[in-house]
Amino acid sequence: AGPCDLYSAGGTPCIAAHSTTRALYSAFSGSLYQVKRGSDNTTTNIAPVSAGGVANAATQDTFCASTTCLITVIYDQSGKGNHLTQAPPGGFNGPETNHYDNLASATGAPVTLNGNKAYGVFISPGTGYRNDKVSGSATGDAAEGMYAIFDGTHYNDGCCFDYGNAETNNLDTGNGHMEALYFGTNSAWGSGSGSGPWVMADLENGLFSGQGSKQNTADPTVTYRFLTAVLKGGANKWALKGGNAASGSLSTYYSGARPTASGYNPMHKEGAIILGIGGDNSVSAQGTFYEGVMTSGYPSDDVENSVQANIVAAKYATTSLNSGTAFTNGQSISLRATTSGYDTRYLAHTGATVNTQVVTSSSATSLKQQASWTVRTGLGNSACWSFESKDTAGSYLRHNNFVLQLSANDGSKLFKEDATFCSIAGLGGSGQSIRAWGYPTRYIRHYENVGYIASNGGVHAFDAASSFNADATWAVSTSFA
Ligand code: AHR
Ligand code: AHR
Ligand code: AHR
């Protein structure tokens, strides 16, 4: 059985079932998600390898070979047509054309399920999905349940990495107009014990960790690499649970009456579905989503326990984030541009500015050093890499507003993540592409001889699709200095 078969058997059927990694019904063999590639802007659908099975990642890998790919649709497997697509603007604008949110990279969150490769949905700040015209979801004070599997190591304190029920007009329409899972370290409204991240309930104008609107210490810090988060709400009751999606059972963090703060009892749920954003399209948060469902009715604890057992049996596990040539900690490299007409230039820095410079064996030592980097284990994720300057120890290549710069490591989580890059098979066919860990739609690229993290055909001039693959492909050599 799949999770939604279990909810159905319990009398609380799924009204939405979203996953890029696997079928959530044992009989489901339709499309799980749609990807769009950068080379020709065409799309294809990814289905399970067999009914009830894991997503056919090989279809995606073939379709997306030597180009970039975005997740355009996360299909609803429930049969109700509640698909998730690129979120529109609301109280806050997204960064894309017409203020829509960004779409997620199709390759930012590789995993395996029982040894079979699949891809999750890596949400960078600015990314979001939504459906405002949902069929069958809970409205008003009606009961619903939901769970999602997140990456418990991918979070921030922005508002709000959510999955669940939200406003149908993309605006903050008041307390109690949402009921969604939240994951991260935002403590502007509420918090749990420790320093977070926490699973909380986004009920609008509040992230709730228990009945009180501030700190509830029964809600623990949870950092399981694969995290099951569970929320359900009905008339004057709700519950929040979590657990390790790779083993063991769920723990109840809260189960009881609705908050006493005004507006949350009864609830005023509107029934839209969001992923990666707040109800008003707040787009500052990050996180990773693998699968999630929403139900009609208040699921029993027994059903939720059997769903957790089903999730554990799916055997989520990590796999390499790198597909290019392996780097090693301590390796000294130079990176040569491969774009025709620019291929005598190397990625270098001039003070804090990162650019490309023509360097040869007879260049001055200072210029050779500016074009030389020491590879380090990724400061923000040890599965990827950071690049320390040869001539300015302690300073690293990082992005800031998508512009590369050389900066001293200030020890912050944001710096470390901005200075972390994964090694990807060269988009240009040979060589190496280098992807920003936190923005997997973006690759180190030169544009007018300046260094950026660029997406293929995005809104900035430096995102130009023209010559993207070549500009984002580097020849790695032993360093000049
Ligand atoms: O409740 C927290 C957030 O507050 C909601 O997600 C958003 O709509 C509002 O800004
Ligand atoms: O470069 C993109 C983002 O811009 C970085 O993550 C952040 O430091 C800055 O706001
Ligand atoms: O960085 C040099 C060139 O500038 C790039 O190849 C091109 O995309 C831009 O015009």
Side-chain angles (χ1 to χ4, degrees):
C4 286
D5 301 310
L6 300 169
Y7 281 112
S8 282
T12 52
C14 294
I15 60 89
H18 299 119
S19 177
T20 55
T21 63
R22 65 170 182 146
L24 300 174
Y25 293 85
S26 61
F28 187 79
S29 58
S31 296
L32 299 171
Y33 64 107
Q34 182 190 70
V35 298
K36 183 174 79 169
R37 66 182 174 197
S39 52
D40 59 3
N41 285 318
T42 60
T43 60
T44 198
N45 288 329
I46 310 299
V49 282
S50 59
V54 175
N56 194 335
T59 310
Q60 175 182 310
D61 289 342
T62 302
F63 183 76
C64 301
S66 296
T67 187
T68 54
C69 262
L70 300 172
I71 297 172
T72 36
V73 185
I74 304 167
Y75 292 109
D76 169 23
Q77 302 174 28
S78 79
K80 294 198 172 297
N82 295 327
H83 313 310
L84 295 173
T85 57
Q86 187 171 19
F92 292 86
N93 286 333
E96 224 24 282
T97 309
N98 298 324
H99 303 310
Y100 273 63
D101 295 354
N102 291 141
L103 293 165
S105 165
T107 56
V111 289
T112 60
L113 278 74
N114 205 8
N116 303 296
K117 192 170 188 194
Y119 295 97
V121 185
F122 190 106
I123 301 281
S124 310
T127 304
Y129 293 82
R130 192 170 195 125
N131 185 327
D132 283 334
K133 296 196 166 61
V134 173
S135 154
S137 60
T139 57
D141 207 30
E144 67 178 350
M146 65 192 77
Y147 83 84
I149 302 179
F150 300 136
D151 176 346
T153 68
H154 184 206
Y155 58 85
N156 70 4
D157 61 3
C159 176
C160 287
F161 178 72
D162 287 355
Y163 174 74
N165 191 321
E167 289 93 343
T168 53
N169 66 356
N170 317 314
L171 301 174
D172 177 349
T173 52
N175 296 0
H177 285 246
M178 295 177 63
E179 186 165 69
L181 280 162
Y182 163 83
F183 179 66
T185 50
N186 186 300
S187 58
W189 292 279
S191 61
S193 63
S195 53
W198 307 283
V199 177
M200 296 192 277
D202 190 342
L203 305 181
E204 188 53 279
N205 300 314
L207 301 178
F208 287 85
S209 51
Q211 191 185 20
S213 50
K214 297 294 182 196
Q215 187 183 37
N216 296 282
T217 53
D219 190 30
T221 290
V222 276
T223 55
Y224 300 118
R225 175 61 179 78
F226 296 103
L227 167 69
T228 311
V230 181
L231 172 65
K232 56 186 169 182
N236 196 22
K237 62 175 178 182
W238 69 286
L240 191 64
K241 303 179 183 182
N244 183 345
S247 76
S249 53
L250 296 172
S251 299
T252 298
Y253 303 154
Y254 177 75
S255 181
R258 287 291 186 183
T260 51
S262 126
Y264 301 102
N265 188 20
M267 292 287 283
H268 311 278
K269 292 177 243 189
E270 297 191 21
I273 304 177
I274 52 172
L275 171 59
I277 48 178
D280 56 5
N281 196 45
S282 296
V283 276
S284 303
Q286 66 185 26
T288 296
F289 172 90
Y290 298 103
E291 61 178 70
V293 313
M294 297 174 62
T295 72
S296 165
Y298 199 82
S300 70
D301 290 337
D302 283 351
V303 166
E304 286 167 344
N305 291 339
S306 61
V307 167
Q308 166 67 5
N310 175 281
I311 291 166
V312 170
K315 291 199 164 58
Y316 273 90
T318 56
T319 188
S320 178
L321 291 173
N322 305 286
S323 64
T325 319
F327 285 125
T328 52
N329 185 30
Q331 186 183 356
S332 292
I333 61 165
S334 290
L335 294 166
R336 184 174 55 79
T338 62
T339 311
S340 165
Y342 300 91
D343 58 3
T344 56
R345 306 183 74 97
Y346 289 78
L347 192 71
H349 76 96
T350 304
T353 301
V354 173
N355 51 27
T356 59
Q357 305 257 10
V358 177
V359 189
T360 68
S361 54
S362 46
S363 295
T365 302
S366 57
L367 179 59
K368 288 180 174 175
Q369 288 182 336
Q370 286 160 10
S372 296
W373 307 93
T374 306
V375 177
R376 300 292 184 200
T377 299
L379 294 170
N381 185 313
S382 61
C384 291
W385 309 100
S386 294
F387 300 98
E388 186 177 7
S389 165
K390 269 282 176 185
D391 59 19
T392 316
S395 282
Y396 292 81
L397 208 53
R398 67 89 57 100
H399 58 87
N400 186 358
N401 271 321
F402 313 118
V403 183
L404 285 177
Q405 59 187 48
L406 187 75
S407 301
N409 180 1
D410 65 12
S412 67
K413 180 172 180 291
L414 185 64
F415 179 92
K416 292 180 197 166
E417 293 181 354
D418 288 349
T420 300
F421 301 89
C422 306
S423 146
I424 303 297
L427 290 168
S430 61
Q432 181 79 39
S433 291
I434 303 170
R435 187 166 78 183
W437 171 80
Y439 288 85
T441 60
R442 296 186 169 276
Y443 293 77
I444 292 186
R445 186 236 181 117
H446 62 94
Y447 184 83
E448 295 179 347
N449 304 328
V450 175
Y452 298 94
I453 58 163
S455 66
N456 189 2
V459 296
H460 308 94
F462 57 78
D463 295 328
S466 166
S467 105
F468 182 86
N469 277 7
D471 292 351
T473 302
W474 304 86
V476 182
S477 58
T478 302
S479 67
F480 276 104

